[in-house]
């Protein structure tokens, strides 16, 4: 990154970039600074061709408690303008994560609330510790949703369940989140970091062009007609056939494991 971030850490483990929200004493709450640094970290990962998968997690007992309410109180009479700035910075980060050309794995290590839920469910694959919980909590402080929650939740769990979460602030356990389709897998808390990193490395060793095309197709699918989506699928598979597909097909015929580069 262009400068050392203060609210998160970015580490490399081979072809995997690990972004860790790091405000453990503040429940990894999202400030303007954290939102800006998360957007920059996502941008830097996207610009680095050596990064083949990105892993997002949190430090301490929380994954992310959403917007930092203490910072919001400090906005005072500029609450509207400063909250808009916070949301804009966060949404740039959400967009950058969504537009990554590599798979995004999220390891939800603990409590997550508000916009933290938006970050959690942004992953292609989401692993949750068995101790993790999920709640929207916006109306508890008189706010409306942000962080892409009203975009992603209806698509993942349907409108009725989304309405229940937003209006009642129902808290979901990790097991309930799995049952509802918010997460991919629940693992023992002590095994989360290892399983998430192993999964990230598994994807990092896979076909980068195929992964990139899958992300793009799924991101746009709800906006496209059937015919448009079919055409995009045809173009995508044709492009992959000229790159990773050649190695994949050869390996299949030769009955060996493919070696994607």
């Amino acid at each position: 990154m262009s400068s050392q971030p203060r609210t998160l850490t970015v580490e490399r483990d081979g072809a995997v970039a690990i972004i860790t929200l790091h405000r453990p004493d503040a429940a990894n709450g999202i400030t303007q600074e954290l939102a800006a640094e998360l957007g920059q970290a996502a941008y830097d990962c996207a610009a680095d061709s050596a990064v083949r998968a990105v892993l997002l997690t949190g430090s301490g007992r929380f994954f992310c408690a959403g917007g930092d309410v203490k910072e919001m109180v400090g906005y005072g009479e500029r609450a509207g303008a400063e909250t808009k700035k916070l949301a804009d910075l966060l949404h740039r980060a959400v967009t950058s994560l969504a537009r990554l050309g590599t798979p995004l794995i999220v390891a939800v290590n603990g409590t997550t609330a508000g916009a933290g839920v938006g970050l959690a469910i942004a992953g292609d694959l989401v692993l949750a510790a068995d101790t993790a919980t999920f709640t929207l909590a916006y109306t508890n402080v008189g706010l409306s949703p942000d962080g892409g929650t009203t975009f992603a939740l209806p698509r993942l769990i349907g409108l009725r369940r989304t309405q229940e979460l937003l209006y009642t602030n129902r808290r979901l356990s990790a097991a309930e989140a799995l049952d509802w389709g918010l997460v991919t897998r629940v693992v023992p808390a002590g095994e989360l970091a290892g399983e998430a990193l192993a999964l990230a490395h598994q994807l990092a060793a896979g076909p980068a062009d195929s992964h990139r095309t899958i992300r793009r197709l799924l991101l746009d699918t709800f906006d496209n007609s059937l015919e448009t989506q079919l055409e995009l699928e045809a173009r995508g598979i044709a492009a992959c056939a000229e790159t990773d597909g050649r190695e994949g097909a050869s390996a299949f015929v030769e009955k060996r494991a493919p070696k994607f580069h």
Side-chain angles (χ1 to χ4, degrees), residues 69-113:
V69 178
K70 288 185 179 179
E71 180 178 87
M72 293 180 185
V73 170
Y75 295 159
E77 294 182 358
R78 288 187 51 80
E82 293 300 323
T83 302
K84 178 63 163 58
K85 179 179 178 181
L86 171 62
D88 286 345
L89 289 168
L90 173 61
H91 292 168
R92 289 174 195 166
V94 170
T95 299
S96 294
L97 290 170
R99 298 292 179 184
L100 284 170
T102 56
L104 173 64
I105 300 92
V106 180
V108 184
N109 54 293
T111 301
T112 183

Side-chain angles (χ1 to χ4, degrees), residues 22-245:
H22 190 60
R23 299 187 68 227
D25 295 334
N28 296 325
I30 302 170
T31 59
Q32 291 181 359
E33 183 179 29
L34 186 147
E37 290 184 343
L38 180 58
Q40 184 64 48
Y43 178 86
D44 290 343
C45 289
D48 187 346
S49 61
V51 171
R52 300 283 295 269
V54 176
L55 172 59
L56 174 65
T57 192
S59 61
R61 296 186 303 109
F62 288 78
F63 171 70
C64 176
D68 189 310
V69 178
K70 288 185 179 179
E71 180 178 87
M72 293 180 185
V73 170
Y75 295 159
E77 294 182 358
R78 288 187 51 80
E82 293 300 323
T83 302
K84 178 63 163 58
K85 179 179 178 181
L86 171 62
D88 286 345
L89 289 168
L90 173 61
H91 292 168
R92 289 174 195 166
V94 170
T95 299
S96 294
L97 290 170
R99 298 292 179 184
L100 284 170
T102 56
L104 173 64
I105 300 92
V106 180
V108 184
N109 54 293
T111 301
T112 183
V117 175
L119 292 178
I121 62 179
D124 299 292
L125 297 171
V126 182
L127 304 189
D130 54 7
T131 54
T133 60
F134 301 78
T135 184
L136 273 300
Y138 287 101
T139 61
N140 283 345
V141 290
L143 296 174
S144 58
D146 64 348
T149 51
T150 61
F151 180 89
L153 283 171
R155 289 164 166 78
L156 286 171
I157 64 175
L159 181 60
R160 284 288 175 252
R161 282 180 163 175
T162 298
Q163 289 168 321
E164 181 181 4
L165 292 182
L166 288 172
Y167 285 112
T168 72
N169 299 311
R170 173 176 172 174
R171 183 183 298 271
L172 296 181
S173 67
E176 289 172 319
L178 177 64
D179 181 61
W180 280 32
L182 279 177
V183 304
T184 308
R185 190 189 316 161
V186 174
V187 300
E191 300 174 14
L192 177 68
E195 286 212 24
L197 185 58
L199 180 59
H201 276 295
Q202 175 187 335
L203 295 181
D209 291 329
S210 177
H211 290 164
R212 186 179 303 109
T213 303
I214 289 170
R215 291 201 99 223
R216 187 166 56 243
L217 287 169
L218 293 180
L219 187 63
D220 295 337
T221 183
F222 290 102
D223 296 322
N224 293 335
S225 67
L226 172 62
E227 290 76 12
T228 298
Q229 193 71 6
L230 290 172
E231 176 60 22
L232 292 174
E233 286 183 350
R235 294 181 186 184
I237 196 171
C240 288
E242 295 181 344
T243 55
D244 289 329

